[in-house]
Amino acid sequence: MAEETLSNLLAEDRTFPPSDEFAAQANGTQAMYDAAAEDREGFWADQARSLLTWETDFTQTLDWSQAPVASWFVGGRLNASVNCLDRHIEAGLGDRVAINFVGEPGDTRTLTYADLHEQVQRAANALAALGVGTGDRVAIYLPMIPEAAVAMLACARLGAPHSVVFGGFSSDALRTRIADAEAKVVITADGGYRKGKPSALKPAVDAALEGETTVEKVLVVRRTETEVEWDEGRDLWWHDALEAAEPTHTPDYFDSEHPLFILYTSGTTGKPKGIFHTTGGYLTQSAFTCSTVLDIHPETDVYWCTADIGWVTGHSYSVYGPMSLGATQVMYEGTPDTPHQGRWWEIVQDYGVTIFYTAPTAIRACMKWGSDIPAKFDLSSLRLLGSVGEPINPEAWMWYRRVIGGDRCPIVDTWWQTETGAIMVSPLPGVTATRPGSAQLAIPGISVDVVDEAGNSVPDGHGGYLVIREPWPSMLRGIWGDPERYAETYWSRFPDVYFAGDGAKKDSEGNIWVLGRVDDVMNVSGHRLSTTEIESALVSHPKVAEAAVVGATDTMTGQAVVAFVILRGDAVEEADEEGEGAELVAELRSHVAKEIGPIARPRQIMIVPELPKTRSGKIMRRLLRDVAEKREVGDVTTLADSSVMDLIKDGISSGS
Ligand code: WTA
C-alpha cells in the first residue's frame, strides 16, 4: 500500500515556482540556506537575537553535552509574554489589532495588542493571587476564545508552565493529564460553541477533580452562560478575578531553558506523553518560521491559522509565533460548516485574510462540499496558503491551490511534530518551486535525513525513516517526569539521531515526501491517536475481553480507527441474539468517545472470535489492517495459529 501511494506520489512532477512579485517581498531567502549551511549555530544565534528581545544576552548558542537534552542560548534570560506583548507596546504598536475574534454564533470581538497586554497582566496578577508561582503548572481547558491566548501568555509571564488540554478530550483524559503534570490551577469555561450549540466544559473539569487531586483552584471563563455547578472554596469566575486584579504586572525574566509548556500527545503506549518545551529556543524557531515559512509581514498581513490551541499548531502558530512577531490574526471558535459550509471563506472575505494555514483533512472536507461554495466569496486577499498535520495528497493540494488560492498563492506543506515545536521541513514560499504532495526540504538551519533500517542515509529516489541529525532550537527537552522514555522513544532506534516515527522518501531531486507513521500511532484528521490507548479504553468496558485497533486508510480523514474486539463469555451469547450485536457495537463506540474524546470514536468495530498473534503474543496489526482495508490478507506464517485469519474473516462476514 505504502509503495502504491509512493509510486503515485513520485509520478507527481508538476512544479510551481514563486512569482517574481512574491519572491521580491518574501522574508525567507536563499541567502538564509547559505548562511545556515556555512555556520548553523551562528545562524540560529543571529535569529534568536534579531527576532527576540532578551533581558540578558546568551553566552553560548548550543550546549549538547547532556545529549539528548539540549540547552539553547545558554545564559540568556527572557520572558515569552514580554516578547509577545510588552515590546510591541513599547514600539508604539499598542493600537494594532492582535486578535479578530469570531465566535461560532456570530459574535465578534477585536482585541488590540494593548487590550491583550492589559488582560494578560490582570490574569497574571490573578493567578499569582491564587498562589501560582514560577514553575507551578496550570492546566488550560478552554474553547478557542481569546481568553485561551490570554491564559497561556499569563502563565508564560509568571514562568508557570501551562498544559493545554484540548476541549474535545474527556474528563478522564483531563484527569490523567492534570495528575501527570500535578497542576495546581485549572482554567476552563462554562462551555464553548460547537456545531451550533453550547458544548459544556465545566462538568468535565468537576468530574476530573473528583477524589484526590493536586488542583487547588479553578478559574472559569463565562462564555455560553449555561448553568454550572459551583464549588465555593475552589471555583472563581475569570471575569471577577481579572476585575479585582491590578492592570499592570512587572514581569520576571527566566532562563532560556525555563519550561514554557507541557503538551500531551499520543505515543505508542497507552500513556500519553507530556512533551515539554522551554523558552528561548522554542520562541526563536516559532518566530523564525512564522516569518520565513508563513511569510508574515506584521504591518500588512491578516493571518489565520485554524488550529485549536489544544494542539501544538495552536501553540506555535496561533499564539507564540505570530504574537512574537506582532501579527494581526483571526481566531474562530467553531467548526468550518456552522452555520453553513462557506463559513471559513466568509471569514476570509470579511477580514481580508492574507495568509491561511490549515490541515489537509479540512481541505478534503471542503473539496467534498464542492468548489461552488468558496466561489461565492471574495478570496482575492489571500496570498499564501499553508498545510500541516498529515500528508496532503496531490489532488487536495491542487484543489487548494486552484479553488482557494486562485492559482496565485504559493502553498507551503509544513512537516513538524509536537516534539519538534515548530516547522522543520517545508518550502520557503519565495524561494522553492513547490511540488504538490511534498514537504520538500529542511528549512534553513535544520538537518533532516531519510535513513534505512541500519541508519544509513538513503540515496535520492529511495525510502526509509525520517530522522533529524542535529539538535534544533525548538526541540522538546523531554517527556515530563520520564527522561528514560524520552531517550528510549526518540534516540534509541538509530544512534545519535532523532527518530520522528514517520516513514519518508527522497525523490530524484532530494525532496522529502512524508508517508505517515511507521509506529502504532494513527493520524486521524491530523490528530494523533495511539492504538494502545484506544485498546485500553475498549478493554475497560465490562463486555470486552480483548481488543486490537488499527488505522485504516480513509479518503476523508487520512486514517480511521478500526477496532477488533473479542467479547467476554456472556456478552458473546447476547451479541448473537438478533440485533444485539449492532447495539453493542454502538455502545462500544460511545464508550471510547467517553473515555478519550469524540475524535477517538472508532469508525468501525468488528466483533471477532480471535485475534492474530505471533508466538510471542504480539498482535499482528498488519493483518488486521488488511482486513480493515478489505485487502487480500498478507503473509500469515509468523502467526501462532495460522487459521485465525480465516476465523476472523468468517466471523465478520457472518456476524456483521
Ligand atoms: C504528521 C502536528 C505529512 C506526521 C504539527 C507527524 C505530517 C505527526 C505533516 C505529528 C506533513 C505533520 N506531511 N505528515 N506536512 N505534518 N504530519 O504532533 O506523521 O500532532 O509525525 O504535530 O503528524 O503530529 P503532531
Short mmCIF file of all heavy atoms in Angstrom, two decimals, residues 265 311-313 317 357 360 387-392 412-420 425 437-439 466 500-503 513-518 521 523 526-528, ligand 1:
data_model
loop_
_atom_site.label_atom_id
_atom_site.label_comp_id
_atom_site.label_asym_id
_atom_site.label_seq_id
_atom_site.Cartn_x
_atom_site.Cartn_y
_atom_site.Cartn_z
N THR A 265 0.74 14.29 24.10
CA THR A 265 0.46 13.74 22.78
C THR A 265 0.49 12.22 22.88
O THR A 265 1.09 11.67 23.80
CB THR A 265 1.46 14.26 21.74
OG1 THR A 265 1.05 13.81 20.45
CG2 THR A 265 2.87 13.78 22.00
N TRP A 311 -3.83 21.88 20.35
CA TRP A 311 -2.80 21.16 19.60
C TRP A 311 -1.56 22.03 19.50
O TRP A 311 -1.61 23.24 19.67
CB TRP A 311 -3.30 20.79 18.20
CG TRP A 311 -4.64 20.16 18.25
CD1 TRP A 311 -5.81 20.71 17.86
CD2 TRP A 311 -4.97 18.85 18.76
NE1 TRP A 311 -6.85 19.84 18.08
CE2 TRP A 311 -6.36 18.70 18.63
CE3 TRP A 311 -4.21 17.81 19.29
CZ2 TRP A 311 -7.01 17.53 19.04
CZ3 TRP A 311 -4.86 16.66 19.70
CH2 TRP A 311 -6.24 16.51 19.56
N VAL A 312 -0.45 21.41 19.15
CA VAL A 312 0.79 22.18 19.10
C VAL A 312 0.73 23.29 18.04
O VAL A 312 1.30 24.37 18.22
CB VAL A 312 2.01 21.25 18.88
CG1 VAL A 312 2.08 20.73 17.45
CG2 VAL A 312 3.30 21.96 19.27
N THR A 313 0.00 23.05 16.97
CA THR A 313 -0.09 24.08 15.93
C THR A 313 -0.73 25.35 16.52
O THR A 313 -0.32 26.46 16.20
CB THR A 313 -0.89 23.57 14.72
OG1 THR A 313 -0.34 22.31 14.34
CG2 THR A 313 -0.80 24.52 13.55
N TYR A 317 1.58 28.46 16.23
CA TYR A 317 1.14 29.26 15.09
C TYR A 317 -0.16 30.01 15.30
O TYR A 317 -0.64 30.66 14.38
CB TYR A 317 1.15 28.39 13.81
CG TYR A 317 2.57 27.94 13.55
CD1 TYR A 317 2.99 26.64 13.82
CD2 TYR A 317 3.53 28.86 13.12
CE1 TYR A 317 4.32 26.26 13.66
CE2 TYR A 317 4.86 28.50 12.95
CZ TYR A 317 5.25 27.20 13.23
OH TYR A 317 6.56 26.85 13.08
N TYR A 357 -3.63 29.07 7.11
CA TYR A 357 -2.87 27.87 7.46
C TYR A 357 -3.82 26.84 8.04
O TYR A 357 -4.46 27.10 9.07
CB TYR A 357 -1.80 28.28 8.49
CG TYR A 357 -0.73 27.28 8.83
CD1 TYR A 357 -0.27 26.33 7.92
CD2 TYR A 357 -0.11 27.33 10.08
CE1 TYR A 357 0.76 25.44 8.26
CE2 TYR A 357 0.92 26.45 10.43
CZ TYR A 357 1.34 25.51 9.51
OH TYR A 357 2.35 24.65 9.86
N PRO A 360 -4.86 19.23 5.93
CA PRO A 360 -5.38 18.53 4.76
C PRO A 360 -6.79 17.97 4.95
O PRO A 360 -7.60 17.99 4.02
CB PRO A 360 -4.38 17.39 4.53
CG PRO A 360 -3.11 17.90 5.10
CD PRO A 360 -3.51 18.74 6.29
N SER A 387 -0.27 24.17 4.86
CA SER A 387 -0.89 22.89 5.21
C SER A 387 -0.04 22.21 6.27
O SER A 387 1.19 22.29 6.24
CB SER A 387 -0.96 22.02 3.95
OG SER A 387 -1.36 20.70 4.27
N VAL A 388 -0.68 21.55 7.21
CA VAL A 388 0.05 20.88 8.29
C VAL A 388 -0.75 19.75 8.90
O VAL A 388 -1.98 19.79 8.92
CB VAL A 388 0.42 21.86 9.44
CG1 VAL A 388 -0.82 22.52 10.03
CG2 VAL A 388 1.21 21.16 10.55
N GLY A 389 -0.06 18.74 9.40
CA GLY A 389 -0.70 17.73 10.23
C GLY A 389 -0.70 16.33 9.67
O GLY A 389 -0.77 15.36 10.40
N GLU A 390 -0.66 16.21 8.36
CA GLU A 390 -0.66 14.90 7.73
C GLU A 390 -0.24 15.09 6.28
O GLU A 390 -0.22 16.22 5.79
CB GLU A 390 -2.05 14.26 7.82
CG GLU A 390 -3.11 15.24 7.40
CD GLU A 390 -4.52 14.66 7.36
OE1 GLU A 390 -4.68 13.49 6.99
OE2 GLU A 390 -5.44 15.42 7.65
N PRO A 391 0.09 14.00 5.62
CA PRO A 391 0.45 14.15 4.21
C PRO A 391 -0.73 14.73 3.43
O PRO A 391 -1.88 14.37 3.69
CB PRO A 391 0.74 12.72 3.76
CG PRO A 391 1.01 11.94 5.02
CD PRO A 391 0.18 12.61 6.08
N ILE A 392 -0.45 15.66 2.54
CA ILE A 392 -1.53 16.20 1.71
C ILE A 392 -1.42 15.54 0.34
O ILE A 392 -0.37 15.58 -0.30
CB ILE A 392 -1.52 17.75 1.64
CG1 ILE A 392 -2.60 18.25 0.68
CG2 ILE A 392 -0.15 18.32 1.28
CD1 ILE A 392 -2.95 19.73 0.85
N VAL A 412 2.62 26.22 1.22
CA VAL A 412 3.70 25.59 1.98
C VAL A 412 3.14 24.39 2.74
O VAL A 412 2.24 24.52 3.55
CB VAL A 412 4.41 26.59 2.94
CG1 VAL A 412 5.32 27.53 2.15
CG2 VAL A 412 3.43 27.40 3.78
N ASP A 413 3.66 23.21 2.39
CA ASP A 413 3.29 21.98 3.09
C ASP A 413 4.35 21.79 4.16
O ASP A 413 5.51 21.53 3.86
CB ASP A 413 3.29 20.82 2.09
CG ASP A 413 3.06 19.47 2.76
OD1 ASP A 413 2.79 19.42 3.98
OD2 ASP A 413 3.17 18.44 2.05
N THR A 414 3.93 21.94 5.43
CA THR A 414 4.90 22.02 6.52
C THR A 414 4.89 20.76 7.36
O THR A 414 3.88 20.41 7.96
CB THR A 414 4.57 23.23 7.42
OG1 THR A 414 3.26 23.03 7.99
CG2 THR A 414 4.57 24.52 6.63
N TRP A 415 6.01 20.08 7.42
CA TRP A 415 6.11 18.89 8.28
C TRP A 415 6.78 19.26 9.60
O TRP A 415 7.84 19.88 9.63
CB TRP A 415 6.94 17.77 7.62
CG TRP A 415 7.09 16.60 8.56
CD1 TRP A 415 6.23 15.55 8.68
CD2 TRP A 415 8.12 16.40 9.54
NE1 TRP A 415 6.67 14.71 9.69
CE2 TRP A 415 7.82 15.21 10.23
CE3 TRP A 415 9.26 17.12 9.92
CZ2 TRP A 415 8.61 14.69 11.26
CZ3 TRP A 415 10.05 16.62 10.95
CH2 TRP A 415 9.73 15.41 11.61
N TRP A 416 6.15 18.86 10.66
CA TRP A 416 6.74 19.00 12.00
C TRP A 416 5.90 18.22 12.98
O TRP A 416 4.96 17.53 12.57
CB TRP A 416 6.90 20.48 12.40
CG TRP A 416 5.63 21.29 12.42
CD1 TRP A 416 4.85 21.64 11.35
CD2 TRP A 416 5.02 21.88 13.58
NE1 TRP A 416 3.80 22.40 11.77
CE2 TRP A 416 3.87 22.56 13.13
CE3 TRP A 416 5.33 21.90 14.93
CZ2 TRP A 416 3.03 23.26 14.00
CZ3 TRP A 416 4.50 22.59 15.79
CH2 TRP A 416 3.36 23.26 15.33
N GLN A 417 6.20 18.28 14.26
CA GLN A 417 5.52 17.48 15.28
C GLN A 417 5.42 18.26 16.59
O GLN A 417 6.16 19.23 16.79
CB GLN A 417 6.34 16.22 15.60
CG GLN A 417 6.75 15.40 14.42
CD GLN A 417 7.61 14.22 14.85
OE1 GLN A 417 8.72 14.41 15.34
NE2 GLN A 417 7.09 13.02 14.69
N THR A 418 4.57 17.77 17.49
CA THR A 418 4.51 18.33 18.84
C THR A 418 5.94 18.39 19.40
O THR A 418 6.35 19.37 20.02
CB THR A 418 3.65 17.44 19.75
OG1 THR A 418 2.37 17.26 19.12
CG2 THR A 418 3.45 18.05 21.12
N GLU A 419 6.68 17.33 19.14
CA GLU A 419 8.04 17.21 19.67
C GLU A 419 9.00 18.23 19.07
O GLU A 419 9.93 18.67 19.73
CB GLU A 419 8.60 15.80 19.39
CG GLU A 419 7.92 14.68 20.15
CD GLU A 419 6.68 14.12 19.46
OE1 GLU A 419 6.10 14.81 18.59
OE2 GLU A 419 6.28 12.99 19.80
N THR A 420 8.82 18.54 17.79
CA THR A 420 9.78 19.45 17.15
C THR A 420 9.47 20.90 17.48
O THR A 420 10.29 21.77 17.24
CB THR A 420 9.85 19.27 15.62
OG1 THR A 420 8.64 19.77 15.04
CG2 THR A 420 10.07 17.82 15.22
N VAL A 425 10.38 20.91 8.07
CA VAL A 425 10.53 20.64 6.63
C VAL A 425 9.42 21.40 5.92
O VAL A 425 8.24 21.24 6.26
CB VAL A 425 10.40 19.13 6.33
CG1 VAL A 425 10.60 18.86 4.84
CG2 VAL A 425 11.37 18.32 7.16
N GLY A 437 2.12 17.72 -2.82
CA GLY A 437 2.25 16.47 -2.07
C GLY A 437 3.57 16.31 -1.35
O GLY A 437 3.73 15.37 -0.59
N SER A 438 4.51 17.23 -1.55
CA SER A 438 5.81 17.07 -0.88
C SER A 438 6.10 18.25 0.03
O SER A 438 5.92 19.40 -0.35
CB SER A 438 6.92 16.96 -1.92
OG SER A 438 8.19 16.99 -1.28
N ALA A 439 6.59 17.93 1.25
CA ALA A 439 7.01 19.00 2.16
C ALA A 439 8.40 19.50 1.76
O ALA A 439 8.87 20.52 2.26
CB ALA A 439 7.00 18.50 3.60
N LEU A 466 12.28 8.90 8.55
CA LEU A 466 12.64 10.32 8.68
C LEU A 466 13.38 10.54 10.00
O LEU A 466 12.89 10.15 11.06
CB LEU A 466 11.35 11.15 8.65
CG LEU A 466 11.53 12.65 8.50
CD1 LEU A 466 12.18 12.98 7.16
CD2 LEU A 466 10.18 13.35 8.58
N ALA A 500 11.77 10.32 14.16
CA ALA A 500 10.49 11.02 14.24
C ALA A 500 9.28 10.08 14.27
O ALA A 500 8.18 10.50 14.61
CB ALA A 500 10.37 11.98 13.05
N GLY A 501 9.48 8.81 13.88
CA GLY A 501 8.33 7.90 13.84
C GLY A 501 7.60 7.92 12.51
O GLY A 501 6.59 7.25 12.35
N ASP A 502 8.12 8.68 11.54
CA ASP A 502 7.49 8.76 10.23
C ASP A 502 8.34 8.06 9.16
O ASP A 502 9.56 8.08 9.23
CB ASP A 502 7.34 10.24 9.79
CG ASP A 502 6.15 10.91 10.44
OD1 ASP A 502 5.08 10.29 10.50
OD2 ASP A 502 6.29 12.07 10.88
N GLY A 503 7.64 7.49 8.19
CA GLY A 503 8.31 6.97 7.01
C GLY A 503 8.37 8.08 5.97
O GLY A 503 7.50 8.96 5.94
N TRP A 513 9.25 13.35 0.79
CA TRP A 513 7.82 13.03 0.75
C TRP A 513 7.52 12.24 2.01
O TRP A 513 7.97 11.11 2.16
CB TRP A 513 7.50 12.19 -0.50
CG TRP A 513 7.86 12.89 -1.79
CD1 TRP A 513 9.10 13.13 -2.29
CD2 TRP A 513 6.94 13.48 -2.72
NE1 TRP A 513 9.02 13.82 -3.47
CE2 TRP A 513 7.70 14.05 -3.76
CE3 TRP A 513 5.53 13.58 -2.78
CZ2 TRP A 513 7.11 14.72 -4.84
CZ3 TRP A 513 4.95 14.24 -3.86
CH2 TRP A 513 5.74 14.81 -4.88
N VAL A 514 6.77 12.85 2.91
CA VAL A 514 6.46 12.16 4.17
C VAL A 514 5.29 11.21 3.92
O VAL A 514 4.28 11.61 3.35
CB VAL A 514 6.09 13.18 5.28
CG1 VAL A 514 5.79 12.46 6.58
CG2 VAL A 514 7.22 14.18 5.48
N LEU A 515 5.45 9.96 4.35
CA LEU A 515 4.44 8.96 4.02
C LEU A 515 3.51 8.64 5.17
O LEU A 515 2.49 8.01 4.98
CB LEU A 515 5.14 7.68 3.55
CG LEU A 515 6.03 7.88 2.33
CD1 LEU A 515 6.80 6.61 2.03
CD2 LEU A 515 5.21 8.30 1.12
N GLY A 516 3.86 9.03 6.38
CA GLY A 516 2.99 8.73 7.53
C GLY A 516 3.73 7.92 8.58
O GLY A 516 4.89 7.54 8.41
N ARG A 517 3.02 7.64 9.67
CA ARG A 517 3.63 6.99 10.82
C ARG A 517 4.03 5.55 10.51
O ARG A 517 3.34 4.84 9.80
CB ARG A 517 2.64 6.98 12.00
CG ARG A 517 2.09 8.31 12.38
CD ARG A 517 3.06 9.23 13.01
NE ARG A 517 3.75 8.65 14.15
CZ ARG A 517 4.53 9.38 14.97
NH1 ARG A 517 4.71 10.67 14.77
NH2 ARG A 517 5.14 8.80 15.96
N VAL A 518 5.13 5.15 11.10
CA VAL A 518 5.55 3.76 10.97
C VAL A 518 5.42 3.01 12.30
O VAL A 518 5.80 1.88 12.43
CB VAL A 518 7.01 3.65 10.46
CG1 VAL A 518 7.12 4.17 9.04
CG2 VAL A 518 7.97 4.41 11.37
N VAL A 521 1.07 4.66 16.09
CA VAL A 521 0.35 5.91 16.25
C VAL A 521 -0.46 6.13 14.97
O VAL A 521 0.04 5.92 13.87
CB VAL A 521 1.33 7.09 16.46
CG1 VAL A 521 0.59 8.42 16.48
CG2 VAL A 521 2.11 6.90 17.76
N ASN A 523 -3.01 8.68 12.59
CA ASN A 523 -3.22 10.10 12.33
C ASN A 523 -4.61 10.25 11.73
O ASN A 523 -4.82 9.97 10.56
CB ASN A 523 -2.13 10.61 11.39
CG ASN A 523 -2.15 12.13 11.29
OD1 ASN A 523 -3.19 12.76 11.38
ND2 ASN A 523 -0.99 12.72 11.09
N GLY A 526 -5.55 14.56 11.10
CA GLY A 526 -4.44 15.36 11.61
C GLY A 526 -4.25 15.26 13.11
O GLY A 526 -3.38 15.91 13.66
N HIS A 527 -5.06 14.44 13.79
CA HIS A 527 -4.89 14.28 15.23
C HIS A 527 -4.21 12.96 15.52
O HIS A 527 -4.57 11.93 14.97
CB HIS A 527 -6.24 14.32 15.94
CG HIS A 527 -6.95 15.62 15.74
ND1 HIS A 527 -6.31 16.83 15.79
CD2 HIS A 527 -8.24 15.89 15.46
CE1 HIS A 527 -7.17 17.78 15.57
NE2 HIS A 527 -8.35 17.25 15.35
N ARG A 528 -3.26 13.02 16.42
CA ARG A 528 -2.52 11.81 16.75
C ARG A 528 -3.26 10.99 17.77
O ARG A 528 -3.64 11.50 18.81
CB ARG A 528 -1.16 12.19 17.30
CG ARG A 528 -0.16 12.36 16.22
CD ARG A 528 1.04 13.06 16.75
NE ARG A 528 1.81 12.18 17.63
CZ ARG A 528 3.04 12.50 18.02
NH1 ARG A 528 3.59 13.62 17.64
NH2 ARG A 528 3.70 11.68 18.79
C1 WTA B 1 2.21 14.06 10.69
C2 WTA B 1 1.38 18.34 14.17
C3 WTA B 1 2.98 14.65 6.39
C4 WTA B 1 3.45 13.20 10.91
C5 WTA B 1 2.19 19.57 13.74
C6 WTA B 1 3.97 13.68 12.25
C7 WTA B 1 2.69 15.30 8.57
C8 WTA B 1 2.70 13.94 13.00
C9 WTA B 1 2.85 16.66 8.21
C10 WTA B 1 2.86 14.97 14.09
C11 WTA B 1 3.06 16.96 6.82
C12 WTA B 1 2.55 16.53 10.36
N1 WTA B 1 3.11 15.93 5.96
N2 WTA B 1 2.76 14.32 7.67
N3 WTA B 1 3.16 18.21 6.39
N4 WTA B 1 2.75 17.39 9.34
N5 WTA B 1 2.50 15.27 9.91
O1 WTA B 1 2.47 16.02 16.89
O2 WTA B 1 3.05 11.85 10.97
O3 WTA B 1 0.09 16.47 16.15
O4 WTA B 1 4.77 12.72 12.89
O5 WTA B 1 2.04 17.70 15.19
O6 WTA B 1 1.78 14.42 12.00
O7 WTA B 1 1.61 15.29 14.67
P1 WTA B 1 1.50 16.36 15.81
#
